[in-house]
Amino acid sequence: MEAALLWFCNWSTLGVCAALKLPQIHAQLAARSARGLSLPSLLLELAGFLVFLRYQCYYENPLLTYLEYPILIAQDVILLLCVFHFNGNVKQAVPYLAGFVLSWFVLSLQKWIIDLAMNLCTFISAASKFAQLQYLWKAQDSGAVSALTWALSAYTCAILTRFVIMLALNIWVTATVLRYRKPAVKAE
């Protein structure tokens, strides 16, 4: 039963990621606007995906463990080009895209660089979400932002919720063990 659940979680996450940004791209094209989308949020998200993909490739992990990332990167690049298109200047995307291509090579120059970047990935991803939230709070207008894309993204994260809960409980048990540890009696 657990193996079937794991299989379902893995493949459903991959399936959702394959279509994750499509509602957002569709919403932008339908509205012919990038209103409500935070460029810094998108750039941070793309950077985080790139680091994760590069890390997986660097350590030659099996493709199925990270297959969703090339798909997500391709969708984010399309989304980025749409944002620049609807903001009136696609040429402004060129330095960002060049920076991402350059970073692909820089990340693997030294092992410590890729390891450090991977350790920062969670912070990069969180910063991306906060940048989008800040943009929405400031504008008080969600414009062409797709709620479906964000809901699908929440689904992919929900799969990992079990691990976060187990982490918190393990830390709690560790703290409790340390709290109730009796001092060792010294022999005289």
Side-chain angles (χ1 to χ4, degrees):
M1 179 66 177
E2 189 172 324
L5 181 61
L6 184 59
W7 180 90
F8 173 77
C9 289
N10 287 338
W11 286 102
S12 69
T13 300
L14 182 59
V16 168
C17 286
L20 186 68
K21 299 296 180 161
L22 299 181
Q24 182 58 66
I25 293 167
H26 175 72
Q28 262 189 287
L29 293 173
R32 304 197 55 71
S33 169
R35 197 176 89 246
L37 286 162
S38 165
L39 179 60
S41 172
L42 183 57
L43 292 170
L44 284 166
E45 180 179 70
L46 193 51
F49 290 163
L50 182 79
V51 167
F52 190 85
L53 177 62
R54 188 60 177 133
Y55 180 88
Q56 298 298 325
C57 292
Y58 183 84
Y59 284 104
E60 299 177 354
N61 291 326
L63 180 62
L64 278 180
T65 62
Y66 62 90
L67 183 59
E68 67 271 20
Y69 284 89
I71 297 166
L72 289 169
I73 289 170
Q75 292 177 51
D76 264 357
V77 167
I78 292 167
L79 197 53
L80 181 67
L81 292 172
C82 286
V83 167
F84 280 110
H85 171 75
F86 291 122
N87 287 342
N89 194 351
V90 176
K91 291 179 184 176
Q92 286 180 337
V94 172
Y96 293 107
L97 295 175
F100 286 124
V101 170
L102 179 64
S103 68
W104 178 264
F105 297 103
V106 170
L107 284 168
S108 63
L109 287 177
Q110 296 283 324
K111 181 183 178 304
W112 69 267
I113 296 172
I114 191 70
D115 290 343
L116 175 64
M118 186 61 188
N119 285 325
L120 295 174
C121 250
T122 300
F123 297 109
I124 294 168
S125 293
S128 167
K129 306 316 180 237
F130 282 120
Q132 181 61 50
L133 284 169
Q134 183 181 29
Y135 190 84
L136 289 169
W137 290 331
K138 183 178 177 184
Q140 295 186 357
D141 178 10
S142 60
V145 178
S146 169
L148 179 56
T149 288
W150 286 96
L152 291 172
S153 185
Y155 170 79
T156 64
C157 294
I159 300 299
L160 298 176
T161 301
R162 175 186 178 273
F163 297 108
V164 172
I165 292 168
M166 297 312 293
L167 169 67
L169 291 172
N170 284 331
I171 291 171
W172 191 0
V173 170
T174 302
T176 304
V177 167
L178 294 174
R179 165 78 172 88
Y180 292 116
R181 179 164 281 159
K182 304 282 187 214
V185 179
K186 293 184 180 181
E188 292 184 38

